[in-house]
Amino acid sequence: MHTSSPPLSNMNESDKYCEAESPITWVRDAAVKVRYGKSVMESMNSVTVMSLVKSTIRKHPNARALGIIFHFICILILAYKENGAYQYWTYKQYYQQILATAKSFIKLGLEPFNGVGILGFNSKEWFLSNLGAIFAGGLSVGIYATNTPDAVAYVLESSQSNVCVVENDAQLQKVLKVWDQLPHLKAVVQYVGKPSTEKGECILCKFTVCDGVVKWEEFIKLGSEVPDEELQQRMEAQYVNKCCALIYTSGTTGNPKGVMLSHDNLTFACRVIGQFVKVGTACETIVSYLPLSHIAAQMLDIYLPISYAATVYFAQPDAFKGSLNTTLKEASPTIFFGVPRVFEKMSEKIKIGLNELGSLKKKLVGWARGKCRQAAENMKVGQGPPFAHGIALKILGTIRVNLGLTNCRYLYAGAAPLTPETHEFFASLGLPVMEVYGMSETTGGNSMTAWVEGNRHWKPNSAGFRTPGFSYDLLDKDEKGHGEIAMYGRHVLMGYLGEEEKTKDTFDSEYRLKSGDIGYVDKDGFLFISGRIKELLITAGGENVAPVPIENEVKEALPQVSNCMLIGDKRKFLSILITLKTEVDQETLLPKEEFTPQTIEWCKSIGSSATKVSDVLDDKDEAVKKAIHEGINKANKKSESNAKKIAKFTILATDFSVSGGELGPTMKLKRPAVIAKYSDVIEKMYED
């Protein structure tokens, strides 16, 4: 590990490095010592976000899209829908809009190192607000669109946001409810619909001194009053090793922490990831649909495209209600990233179609999927595809078209482990899913799998291979080689904003970031996650139990289980809460009582006539009860000891969801919330 000052060769002429004593800080305007290393990757030049953007503009200033939506010969940057039709921007147009946005923020009173909160669904305005804030010397602050007014207030106050950009009236009302608690907030900008107060009036003023709400079209004009020299001074005052963005954690165990990321964090990480997976220049297409308040979406949708002149399409706000598939078909992305639930939903939809095929087509598709499975098996040992693999891919072509992934070369999952069943399903379609392991604190990445020419590192369910430039150690390893994953490198955060104690606690004496995840490295060099320290259950007998591996075994044994959560901390035995896959209300996104078609088919296959959850609650259905018992017993056979075997289970009446409070915005399980919500159910399993 090295944290020396950069040699002159590491710096662009326009970028500045501020001398610093420590690689960590919790002060918003402080600098950190960059963790340069000896390798080519670790010692690459440091650049600001502005320089990253300017570099692409210099190389591709006037590129244009050619008429139709599916084929691109020239380089685009943004594709967004307006009145039902796609409109396009070139990089030059994008850059001009970023500058205009930055100047308008200055006019509204944005101060250096203060925040611009962004609250809404993915859009060109989200991108512009993010980059405009950075160009103007402020901090970009994404806020989850699902946040409550109080949660919005916490982030805006913590970040000292001077401006908040909101999508629509629903998000505006959240801010209006808490504005009196936000002394730093000077203005709100709304980019969809007409801004309104409680009285329904549009609030507009001359913005000489602004304390109101303005629509985006008026906001973007305000910058014309700001001299170019003033923006230039703001840009020149920035350093590669100072903070430019805040990523707030999901707060599953308390108030969210503001992860401080520097220019170097962002620009270094996106270049390392791009080089590792060999992203092409001016030839990639991406669909932006995951919450941009999360680092993974920002890296994939904003910074990676800028680095490699990629095209970005915006999904519609109802993406998770079904329209994502339409956008994927229109855009035909070459890179696609999703959380496990997205891939599970895709597979469920395709399985319905496969079940409806005639017998001859089923046999043909079955043969093709077998060839693709063999290709995936060959990949594990570094071999090429089997004979007739190309024919198999053509047979499966319609399925890939229906998924919108015909041209997809990079298919990645992250945020949580992908189940073996989902891995196998996509591999059987000729779409092996790679995985990335990282966190907000590592600018989104730390280890990855990849399967491209010259870089063939893939193993299902692995958290990835060592990524050059991103480093980690395993601390306090046990006799099996399991230890806490500790990361270090230029991708590691500066610190938590205003949180001195938490910042110091998260690093060890060598400034390695203690992830809280337990992992091990197999004989081939692949990292596997075996649990999380905070999630470890310690039974009454003193046995340490990592819940995630056991939960995954249950899901593998019982594919119709949607979610499950292991219980057993300070208990005499382990039990598990189970939810079955049900339909989802497309308007509210809340789980319904009715089973999915696949769950109904599963019930029929085991001799049950159940069609909804209430049919199987309280052990009403013996067939379902027996099948789940058998599945749990199958999972138990893989346990290392009796203390790690599940003794009881309960089927819950409602599946977990973000709206229900059991899942966070990135679909991570909120264990404390589940325990609190189902405390009576849990206690009932331990009554005897």
Side-chain angles (χ1 to χ4, degrees):
M1 286 178 288
H2 301 270
T3 55
S4 57
S5 299
L8 292 178
S9 60
N10 284 71
M11 304 299 297
N12 286 341
E13 186 177 341
S14 60
D15 295 317
K16 299 187 295 184
Y17 180 91
C18 183
E19 291 298 329
E21 296 296 322
S22 172
I24 65 171
T25 187
W26 47 91
V27 180
R28 67 179 59 241
D29 59 352
V32 294
K33 186 177 287 187
V34 175
R35 302 168 173 93
Y36 292 103
K38 292 182 178 179
S39 71
V40 173
M41 197 73 78
E42 293 170 319
S43 61
M44 73 164 67
N45 62 310
S46 291
V47 298
T48 61
V49 170
M50 291 80 73
S51 289
L52 190 72
V53 175
K54 289 178 182 177
S55 174
T56 299
I57 304 308
R58 283 195 297 269
K59 295 172 186 174
H60 314 290
N62 298 309
R64 292 288 188 271
L66 300 182
I68 54 177
I69 192 169
F70 297 108
H71 306 286
F72 301 97
I73 298 175
C74 291
I75 305 149
L76 304 173
I77 177 59
L78 296 179
Y80 59 96
K81 271 190 173 178
E82 202 166 85
N83 299 321
Y86 276 103
Q87 306 293 321
Y88 304 101
W89 279 355
T90 64
Y91 276 92
K92 183 177 181 180
Q93 291 170 311
Y94 187 27
Y95 180 62
Q96 290 169 343
Q97 289 294 312
I98 293 169
L99 296 180
T101 304
K103 290 170 71 175
S104 293
F105 281 143
I106 293 173
K107 182 63 179 177
L108 287 183
L110 175 61
E111 301 168 39
F113 298 105
N114 278 13
V116 171
I118 314 171
L119 178 60
F121 189 72
N122 308 21
S123 66
K124 66 184 190 300
E125 292 87 358
W126 212 113
F127 280 35
L128 292 174
S129 298
N130 176 84
L131 293 168
I134 294 172
F135 271 57
L139 306 177
S140 168
V141 184
I143 305 173
Y144 285 108
T146 54
N147 275 10
T148 63
D150 286 342
V152 170
Y154 180 86
V155 173
L156 290 175
E157 179 54 22
S158 167
S159 60
Q160 294 184 11
S161 287
N162 295 143
V163 182
C164 184
V165 179
V166 300
E167 176 187 3
N168 52 29
D169 186 67
Q171 302 295 1
L172 171 62
Q173 295 308 317
K174 294 179 184 179
V175 180
L176 293 179
K177 285 179 181 177
V178 297
W179 200 333
D180 60 350
Q181 305 169 31
L182 305 171
H184 301 282
L185 187 61
K186 301 176 182 180
V188 177
V189 181
Q190 184 174 320
Y191 59 86
V192 175
K194 181 180 177 181
S196 64
T197 64
E198 295 178 356
K199 296 179 180 179
E201 299 171 346
C202 183
I203 312 173
L204 293 175
C205 65
K206 298 296 183 181
F207 292 95
T208 306
V209 177
C210 176
D211 61 355
V213 183
V214 63
K215 62 181 180 180
W216 182 270
E217 292 78 7
E218 297 298 327
F219 157 77
I220 203 69
K221 299 173 186 176
L222 298 173
S224 60
E225 301 177 24
V226 177
D228 292 343
E229 294 77 16
E230 187 172 351
L231 175 57
Q232 188 63 32
Q233 288 172 5
R234 292 276 187 115
M235 293 164 62
E236 290 176 354
Q238 299 190 52
Y239 294 85
V240 295
N241 55 335
K242 286 193 174 186
C243 186
C244 67
L246 295 173
I247 306 293
Y248 278 83
T249 60
S250 55
T252 54
T253 57
N255 283 330
K257 299 185 291 289
V259 174
M260 299 172 65
L261 298 178
S262 69
H263 289 270
D264 188 66
N265 284 145
L266 295 170
T267 59
F268 172 77
C270 66
R271 289 178 292 164
V272 166
I273 292 169
Q275 289 183 39
F276 181 71
V277 301
K278 300 188 183 301
V279 172
T281 300
C283 63
E284 308 293 0
T285 303
I286 294 164
V287 170
S288 176
Y289 75 101
L290 289 173
L292 284 165
S293 44
H294 193 271
I295 186 59
Q298 287 193 26
M299 290 302 294
L300 179 66
D301 300 357
I302 299 177
Y303 299 107
L304 195 70
I306 288 172
S307 301
Y308 292 90
T311 302
V312 180
Y313 277 81
F314 291 105
Q316 298 303 297
D318 60 353
F320 291 105
K321 297 178 181 179
S323 71
L324 175 61
N325 184 246
T326 300
T327 306
L328 290 175
K329 289 178 182 177
E330 292 171 340
S332 194
T334 58
I335 302 173
F336 182 77
F337 176 87
V339 296
R341 194 59 179 152
V342 170
F343 287 102
E344 289 169 11
K345 287 292 185 183
M346 284 181 167
S347 67
E348 288 167 8
K349 183 177 179 181
I350 293 299
K351 285 175 183 176
I352 293 173
L354 292 177
N355 287 335
E356 294 173 353
L357 293 176
S359 59
L360 183 60
K361 284 187 177 180
K362 269 187 181 178
K363 287 181 180 179
L364 191 60
V365 169
W367 173 85
R369 291 180 66 191
K371 285 292 181 182
C372 288
R373 285 191 193 95
Q374 185 57 54
E377 289 299 316
N378 291 0
M379 287 172 67
K380 296 178 189 178
V381 292
Q383 296 178 1
F387 175 73
H389 180 246
I391 296 173
L393 289 178
K394 287 184 179 179
I395 292 171
L396 298 169
T398 301
I399 296 175
R400 295 157 68 98
V401 168
N402 288 337
L403 285 170
L405 299 175
T406 306
N407 296 321
C408 192
R409 298 186 295 121
Y410 308 97
L411 198 59
Y412 271 92
L418 205 63
T419 65
E421 180 200 10
T422 307
H423 258 301
E424 187 278 334
F425 181 79
F426 277 90
S428 77
L429 301 179
L431 293 167
V433 182
M434 306 293 122
E435 294 204 54
V436 57
Y437 166 64
M439 49 206 305
S440 301
E441 288 86 344
T442 60
T443 324
N446 188 72
S447 59
M448 306 174 68
T449 50
W451 186 260
V452 289
E453 195 62 41
N455 182 16
R456 297 186 170 183
H457 299 112
W458 182 68
K459 189 174 285 190
N461 303 117
S462 161
F465 203 76
R466 286 189 182 271
T467 307
F470 298 166
S471 301
Y472 66 86
D473 290 326
L474 297 179
L475 305 181
D476 304 320
K477 288 192 285 187
D478 61 19
E479 67 279 359
K480 295 180 181 178
H482 294 230
E484 182 177 9
I485 302 166
M487 298 94 147
Y488 56 93
R490 288 167 59 184
H491 63 311
V492 172
L493 81 162
M494 304 170 69
Y496 297 119
L497 179 64
E499 302 270 12
E500 178 178 0
E501 193 172 319
K502 288 180 180 177
T503 298
K504 289 179 177 178
D505 285 348
T506 204
F507 289 94
D508 70 1
S509 59
E510 296 182 49
Y511 294 112
R512 292 175 294 191
L513 172 69
K514 296 180 290 184
S515 68
D517 290 325
I518 303 296
Y520 66 94
V521 178
D522 73 1
K523 61 182 178 61
D524 298 317
F526 287 90
L527 176 66
F528 287 82
I529 310 299
S530 53
R532 184 153 180 80
I533 293 174
K534 289 182 179 178
E535 293 178 351
L536 280 178
L537 306 176
I538 304 176
T539 66
E543 186 90 15
N544 286 353
V545 180
V548 173
I550 297 175
E551 291 161 355
N552 286 342
E553 292 292 352
V554 171
K555 287 183 179 180
E556 184 176 3
L558 294 164
Q560 296 315 316
V561 168
S562 179
N563 286 286
C564 59
M565 191 178 110
L566 197 68
I567 304 295
D569 195 46
K570 300 180 180 65
R571 306 281 189 174
K572 292 181 180 180
F573 58 86
L574 300 182
S575 64
I576 194 164
L577 300 175
I578 286 174
T579 69
L580 298 176
K581 292 179 179 177
T582 61
E583 298 286 1
V584 175
D585 187 301
Q586 294 304 309
E587 291 302 316
T588 64
L589 297 182
L590 285 169
K592 297 167 74 173
E593 190 192 15
E594 292 76 21
F595 286 148
T596 62
Q598 296 95 326
T599 307
I600 293 173
E601 283 299 315
W602 173 75
C603 287
K604 288 179 181 178
S605 72
I606 61 173
S608 167
S609 59
T611 59
K612 55 185 183 296
V613 182
S614 59
D615 292 340
V616 302
L617 294 179
D618 302 319
D619 297 334
K620 288 179 189 174
D621 192 307
E622 285 297 326
V624 170
K625 179 182 175 181
K626 180 183 177 183
I628 292 178
H629 264 303
E630 290 174 351
I632 288 175
N633 287 338
K634 183 178 179 181
N636 281 341
K637 288 178 181 178
K638 298 182 181 181
S639 297
E640 301 169 350
S641 68
N642 287 331
K644 294 184 179 180
K645 292 182 178 180
I646 300 166
K648 291 188 178 184
F649 72 89
T650 295
I651 300 174
L652 299 178
T654 308
D655 195 5
F656 297 163
S657 66
V658 176
S659 302
E662 301 96 346
L663 303 177
T666 57
M667 308 302 287
K668 287 184 180 178
L669 185 59
K670 299 172 72 172
R671 294 178 188 273
V674 174
I675 289 172
K677 187 170 184 176
Y678 294 102
S679 60
D680 291 346
V681 175
I682 293 168
E683 291 306 322
K684 190 173 181 180
M685 288 192 287
Y686 291 93
E687 279 180 355
D688 297 333

